[in-house]
Amino acid sequence: MPAAIELRGVRKRFRIRHEAARTWQGMALALLGRRRIEHEEFWALDGVDLEIAEGETLGIIGPNGSGKTTILKLLARTIEPTAGDVEARGKVFGLLELGAGMHPDLTGRENIFLNGSFLGIERNEMRHLYDRIVAFAELERFIDTPVRHYSSGMFMRLGFSIAINVDPDILLIDEVLAVGDARFTAKCYEALAEIKARGRTLVFVSHDPIQVRRFCDRVLWIDRGKIQALGDPRDVIQQYLQHMRGDAASTAAERKEAAPDLGGDQLRIRAATATDEATGAESYAFLPGGVVRLQLELESDAYLDDVTVGCAVRRSDGLLMHETSTDASLGPSAIQPGRTHVECSLGPLPLGPGSYQLSLGVWPNEDRLHPYHIWPDAITLFVGKAAASQRGVAVLPSQWRVALAPPDGELQPTSAPIAQPDMLTDAAGPFWTAPPEELAMGAREAEWLGEGWFPAENWPPRVRWTSERAVAYLRQDVGQGSLVLSACRPLHGRAQAEGRVRLNGLHIATFQLHGMDFEDVVVPLDPVTRPTTHELAIEVDDALVPAKVGLDTDTRPLGIAVSSIRVE
């Protein structure tokens, strides 16, 4: 089969500037040669030789900065190599970054035809494709809106829909599917499978090794601009994961030093391993239903009372799957000076295939905001495929029964309102990462939400309703002076929605929201001299219960709909 893509001796150099001319005087001196600005040469690719056959799907994996995206940009001709030859035979379409190829001031409709012209497609042909593109992207309501108003998910939908419907010979994808919701992402993978079946060539960059293994014919592992391995997905991914596991172990101490806010020196997690409870052997690969025995070793400089040890499990896309701590079964523990052994049995695992990160932490029982030590992403677990009849992100035990229907009646769903479970979040768990300056609902926000929030909804934008009172945690950095709450209160008639904002227990503002449109509630903050974590409480005077006002059967007490909270 002929090669669709060839890279021969490709090298790509970038220049990294270490000193910026921050004033007009500095720029003038630099232009006159009287002030030298230091640069460093960075070789993103260093001697890459690669052939991809026509109709092949190649996955590219590697750590951040390894050269993955550089390869795609060279194939898309958005950059040129410093040395070597790059050849891509056929029409190439690249989904390299959100908004690439889109003009922000043009509408979605206009950008569809603009992208067609980039590919040399006649306008009449694009008219025939237009309805299919809009329908797949599910953007009928927003297609005549300038794309600068699009969310990241809407950008991805439009770009991906254009890509699959113009039917390029070579399709380049760089992690953009990660911003879509689960349903649309599944729809995208079905479309990619159809493209693959039509014999098109795909180059697929992802940080999810499980997805790469499922989808790709071969896998390229690249690191520091050089090819480390190329071949069968199972073998290459296994090499890559073992390498990354070794790097993780060797740099554990560096990670702790790099994140001083995550803990002090009084009590530390020295080491952590995972073993298969059935065999007793150290293992990081399991099948659904397996049991993981987690073993930790703590080191303390003093006697400490009321200590909690915890673990959080996150999927590769950041979704929190489970969180547990010694509070669940033991309560607070006393830690003696020296080394302490801690064990936790996790399972049977109900997890579907994928990779999962385990973060570990120890903190005073009554003071989660000031942990002794947090070790983010301490362990990576890989869960394999369950039985063929079980599919999805979770594997749940099930039993089926088939029998004749009773003759005395038919199943009839009730028409009466059914009380909704509150589904509110519990008190905030241990903080596995440094707190953000912005909580955009849908971007790992659950990690920093306390009690009082209902599940996320995608209107768009993605929002979460509060109950009468909801708590969130944010970081204020030096030089930041405002808290901004972007929210609305639809469906409440002409009455204003009123409430209060409390910061660390102190009332700092009263707000009024007037209707469907999102409004920014801006609250001045006192300056801080070091990064500070704040507890923010949103209190609403009059909750909306849709079932009581005849809107639908939802019996939840809804406060306000929040799209983002940020400190700036």
Side-chain angles (χ1 to χ4, degrees), residues 305-323:
D305 205 358
D306 292 340
V307 173
T308 298
V309 185
C311 167
V313 183
R314 292 187 179 276
R315 204 169 57 187
S316 58
D317 60 1
L319 178 68
L320 178 64
M321 304 299 294
H322 180 65
E323 186 178 280

PDB file of all heavy atoms in Angstrom, residues 305-323:
ATOM      1  N   ASP A 305      -2.283  13.762  66.520  1.00  0.00           N
ATOM      2  CA  ASP A 305      -3.597  13.194  66.804  1.00  0.00           C
ATOM      3  C   ASP A 305      -4.582  13.640  65.724  1.00  0.00           C
ATOM      4  O   ASP A 305      -4.362  14.624  65.017  1.00  0.00           O
ATOM      5  CB  ASP A 305      -4.080  13.674  68.172  1.00  0.00           C
ATOM      6  CG  ASP A 305      -5.074  12.708  68.791  1.00  0.00           C
ATOM      7  OD1 ASP A 305      -5.397  11.703  68.125  1.00  0.00           O
ATOM      8  OD2 ASP A 305      -5.511  12.965  69.918  1.00  0.00           O
ATOM      9  N   ASP A 306      -5.690  12.907  65.581  1.00  0.00           N
ATOM     10  CA  ASP A 306      -6.775  13.287  64.667  1.00  0.00           C
ATOM     11  C   ASP A 306      -6.281  13.489  63.234  1.00  0.00           C
ATOM     12  O   ASP A 306      -6.520  14.528  62.609  1.00  0.00           O
ATOM     13  CB  ASP A 306      -7.460  14.563  65.157  1.00  0.00           C
ATOM     14  CG  ASP A 306      -8.234  14.326  66.448  1.00  0.00           C
ATOM     15  OD1 ASP A 306      -8.538  13.153  66.725  1.00  0.00           O
ATOM     16  OD2 ASP A 306      -8.514  15.294  67.160  1.00  0.00           O
ATOM     17  N   VAL A 307      -5.595  12.481  62.687  1.00  0.00           N
ATOM     18  CA  VAL A 307      -5.103  12.543  61.306  1.00  0.00           C
ATOM     19  C   VAL A 307      -6.030  11.729  60.405  1.00  0.00           C
ATOM     20  O   VAL A 307      -6.456  10.632  60.765  1.00  0.00           O
ATOM     21  CB  VAL A 307      -3.660  12.003  61.216  1.00  0.00           C
ATOM     22  CG1 VAL A 307      -3.211  11.904  59.759  1.00  0.00           C
ATOM     23  CG2 VAL A 307      -2.716  12.901  61.997  1.00  0.00           C
ATOM     24  N   THR A 308      -6.349  12.277  59.242  1.00  0.00           N
ATOM     25  CA  THR A 308      -7.144  11.564  58.242  1.00  0.00           C
ATOM     26  C   THR A 308      -6.273  11.288  57.024  1.00  0.00           C
ATOM     27  O   THR A 308      -5.546  12.164  56.551  1.00  0.00           O
ATOM     28  CB  THR A 308      -8.369  12.392  57.824  1.00  0.00           C
ATOM     29  OG1 THR A 308      -9.210  12.603  58.965  1.00  0.00           O
ATOM     30  CG2 THR A 308      -9.174  11.685  56.746  1.00  0.00           C
ATOM     31  N   VAL A 309      -6.355  10.051  56.519  1.00  0.00           N
ATOM     32  CA  VAL A 309      -5.644   9.650  55.296  1.00  0.00           C
ATOM     33  C   VAL A 309      -6.689   9.365  54.233  1.00  0.00           C
ATOM     34  O   VAL A 309      -7.698   8.697  54.508  1.00  0.00           O
ATOM     35  CB  VAL A 309      -4.784   8.395  55.535  1.00  0.00           C
ATOM     36  CG1 VAL A 309      -3.955   8.072  54.291  1.00  0.00           C
ATOM     37  CG2 VAL A 309      -3.876   8.581  56.745  1.00  0.00           C
ATOM     38  N   GLY A 310      -6.479   9.884  53.013  1.00  0.00           N
ATOM     39  CA  GLY A 310      -7.496   9.730  51.982  1.00  0.00           C
ATOM     40  C   GLY A 310      -6.945   9.435  50.613  1.00  0.00           C
ATOM     41  O   GLY A 310      -5.742   9.543  50.357  1.00  0.00           O
ATOM     42  N   CYS A 311      -7.850   9.041  49.730  1.00  0.00           N
ATOM     43  CA  CYS A 311      -7.506   8.688  48.355  1.00  0.00           C
ATOM     44  C   CYS A 311      -8.629   9.159  47.442  1.00  0.00           C
ATOM     45  O   CYS A 311      -9.812   8.997  47.765  1.00  0.00           O
ATOM     46  CB  CYS A 311      -7.324   7.168  48.237  1.00  0.00           C
ATOM     47  SG  CYS A 311      -7.252   6.552  46.545  1.00  0.00           S
ATOM     48  N   ALA A 312      -8.284   9.741  46.298  1.00  0.00           N
ATOM     49  CA  ALA A 312      -9.258  10.122  45.279  1.00  0.00           C
ATOM     50  C   ALA A 312      -8.891   9.430  43.972  1.00  0.00           C
ATOM     51  O   ALA A 312      -7.715   9.338  43.614  1.00  0.00           O
ATOM     52  CB  ALA A 312      -9.275  11.639  45.078  1.00  0.00           C
ATOM     53  N   VAL A 313      -9.899   8.921  43.273  1.00  0.00           N
ATOM     54  CA  VAL A 313      -9.714   8.222  42.003  1.00  0.00           C
ATOM     55  C   VAL A 313     -10.339   9.053  40.896  1.00  0.00           C
ATOM     56  O   VAL A 313     -11.532   9.372  40.955  1.00  0.00           O
ATOM     57  CB  VAL A 313     -10.360   6.818  42.030  1.00  0.00           C
ATOM     58  CG1 VAL A 313     -10.095   6.082  40.716  1.00  0.00           C
ATOM     59  CG2 VAL A 313      -9.851   6.011  43.212  1.00  0.00           C
ATOM     60  N   ARG A 314      -9.536   9.425  39.889  1.00  0.00           N
ATOM     61  CA  ARG A 314     -10.028  10.203  38.763  1.00  0.00           C
ATOM     62  C   ARG A 314      -9.769   9.475  37.453  1.00  0.00           C
ATOM     63  O   ARG A 314      -8.732   8.830  37.288  1.00  0.00           O
ATOM     64  CB  ARG A 314      -9.356  11.581  38.705  1.00  0.00           C
ATOM     65  CG  ARG A 314      -9.752  12.477  39.847  1.00  0.00           C
ATOM     66  CD  ARG A 314      -9.206  13.894  39.672  1.00  0.00           C
ATOM     67  NE  ARG A 314      -9.645  14.709  40.789  1.00  0.00           N
ATOM     68  CZ  ARG A 314     -10.821  15.314  40.859  1.00  0.00           C
ATOM     69  NH1 ARG A 314     -11.661  15.206  39.851  1.00  0.00           N
ATOM     70  NH2 ARG A 314     -11.169  16.018  41.911  1.00  0.00           N
ATOM     71  N   ARG A 315     -10.740   9.582  36.553  1.00  0.00           N
ATOM     72  CA  ARG A 315     -10.549   9.046  35.214  1.00  0.00           C
ATOM     73  C   ARG A 315      -9.539   9.914  34.473  1.00  0.00           C
ATOM     74  O   ARG A 315      -9.229  11.021  34.899  1.00  0.00           O
ATOM     75  CB  ARG A 315     -11.897   9.015  34.486  1.00  0.00           C
ATOM     76  CG  ARG A 315     -11.985   8.007  33.352  1.00  0.00           C
ATOM     77  CD  ARG A 315     -13.415   7.846  32.879  1.00  0.00           C
ATOM     78  NE  ARG A 315     -13.994   9.120  32.446  1.00  0.00           N
ATOM     79  CZ  ARG A 315     -15.260   9.262  32.111  1.00  0.00           C
ATOM     80  NH1 ARG A 315     -16.084   8.238  32.185  1.00  0.00           N
ATOM     81  NH2 ARG A 315     -15.722  10.436  31.718  1.00  0.00           N
ATOM     82  N   SER A 316      -9.045   9.428  33.320  1.00  0.00           N
ATOM     83  CA  SER A 316      -7.998  10.149  32.590  1.00  0.00           C
ATOM     84  C   SER A 316      -8.447  11.530  32.137  1.00  0.00           C
ATOM     85  O   SER A 316      -7.626  12.409  31.930  1.00  0.00           O
ATOM     86  CB  SER A 316      -7.543   9.330  31.376  1.00  0.00           C
ATOM     87  OG  SER A 316      -8.647   9.062  30.517  1.00  0.00           O
ATOM     88  N   ASP A 317      -9.784  11.749  31.984  1.00  0.00           N
ATOM     89  CA  ASP A 317     -10.266  13.069  31.589  1.00  0.00           C
ATOM     90  C   ASP A 317     -10.518  13.985  32.777  1.00  0.00           C
ATOM     91  O   ASP A 317     -11.050  15.084  32.625  1.00  0.00           O
ATOM     92  CB  ASP A 317     -11.545  12.949  30.756  1.00  0.00           C
ATOM     93  CG  ASP A 317     -12.677  12.255  31.517  1.00  0.00           C
ATOM     94  OD1 ASP A 317     -12.479  11.882  32.694  1.00  0.00           O
ATOM     95  OD2 ASP A 317     -13.765  12.088  30.934  1.00  0.00           O
ATOM     96  N   GLY A 318     -10.146  13.546  33.994  1.00  0.00           N
ATOM     97  CA  GLY A 318     -10.270  14.390  35.175  1.00  0.00           C
ATOM     98  C   GLY A 318     -11.536  14.180  35.977  1.00  0.00           C
ATOM     99  O   GLY A 318     -11.694  14.754  37.053  1.00  0.00           O
ATOM    100  N   LEU A 319     -12.480  13.346  35.490  1.00  0.00           N
ATOM    101  CA  LEU A 319     -13.732  13.126  36.213  1.00  0.00           C
ATOM    102  C   LEU A 319     -13.461  12.392  37.523  1.00  0.00           C
ATOM    103  O   LEU A 319     -12.814  11.345  37.530  1.00  0.00           O
ATOM    104  CB  LEU A 319     -14.703  12.320  35.353  1.00  0.00           C
ATOM    105  CG  LEU A 319     -16.043  11.966  36.010  1.00  0.00           C
ATOM    106  CD1 LEU A 319     -16.872  13.223  36.217  1.00  0.00           C
ATOM    107  CD2 LEU A 319     -16.809  10.959  35.166  1.00  0.00           C
ATOM    108  N   LEU A 320     -13.965  12.933  38.625  1.00  0.00           N
ATOM    109  CA  LEU A 320     -13.809  12.287  39.925  1.00  0.00           C
ATOM    110  C   LEU A 320     -14.710  11.056  39.976  1.00  0.00           C
ATOM    111  O   LEU A 320     -15.939  11.162  39.914  1.00  0.00           O
ATOM    112  CB  LEU A 320     -14.169  13.257  41.046  1.00  0.00           C
ATOM    113  CG  LEU A 320     -14.096  12.686  42.468  1.00  0.00           C
ATOM    114  CD1 LEU A 320     -12.667  12.300  42.828  1.00  0.00           C
ATOM    115  CD2 LEU A 320     -14.653  13.688  43.478  1.00  0.00           C
ATOM    116  N   MET A 321     -14.123   9.877  40.116  1.00  0.00           N
ATOM    117  CA  MET A 321     -14.882   8.635  40.158  1.00  0.00           C
ATOM    118  C   MET A 321     -15.227   8.221  41.585  1.00  0.00           C
ATOM    119  O   MET A 321     -16.302   7.696  41.852  1.00  0.00           O
ATOM    120  CB  MET A 321     -14.081   7.499  39.486  1.00  0.00           C
ATOM    121  CG  MET A 321     -13.658   7.792  38.068  1.00  0.00           C
ATOM    122  SD  MET A 321     -15.032   8.072  36.933  1.00  0.00           S
ATOM    123  CE  MET A 321     -15.806   6.466  36.921  1.00  0.00           C
ATOM    124  N   HIS A 322     -14.294   8.456  42.501  1.00  0.00           N
ATOM    125  CA  HIS A 322     -14.526   8.009  43.870  1.00  0.00           C
ATOM    126  C   HIS A 322     -13.533   8.714  44.794  1.00  0.00           C
ATOM    127  O   HIS A 322     -12.417   9.032  44.391  1.00  0.00           O
ATOM    128  CB  HIS A 322     -14.335   6.489  43.974  1.00  0.00           C
ATOM    129  CG  HIS A 322     -14.561   5.947  45.350  1.00  0.00           C
ATOM    130  ND1 HIS A 322     -15.791   5.978  45.971  1.00  0.00           N
ATOM    131  CD2 HIS A 322     -13.722   5.364  46.244  1.00  0.00           C
ATOM    132  CE1 HIS A 322     -15.699   5.442  47.178  1.00  0.00           C
ATOM    133  NE2 HIS A 322     -14.454   5.059  47.361  1.00  0.00           N
ATOM    134  N   GLU A 323     -13.999   8.942  46.008  1.00  0.00           N
ATOM    135  CA  GLU A 323     -13.135   9.551  47.014  1.00  0.00           C
ATOM    136  C   GLU A 323     -13.436   8.871  48.342  1.00  0.00           C
ATOM    137  O   GLU A 323     -14.601   8.654  48.696  1.00  0.00           O
ATOM    138  CB  GLU A 323     -13.442  11.040  47.095  1.00  0.00           C
ATOM    139  CG  GLU A 323     -12.524  11.828  48.004  1.00  0.00           C
ATOM    140  CD  GLU A 323     -12.898  13.303  47.976  1.00  0.00           C
ATOM    141  OE1 GLU A 323     -12.509  13.993  47.017  1.00  0.00           O
ATOM    142  OE2 GLU A 323     -13.615  13.741  48.884  1.00  0.00           O
TER     143      GLU A 323
END
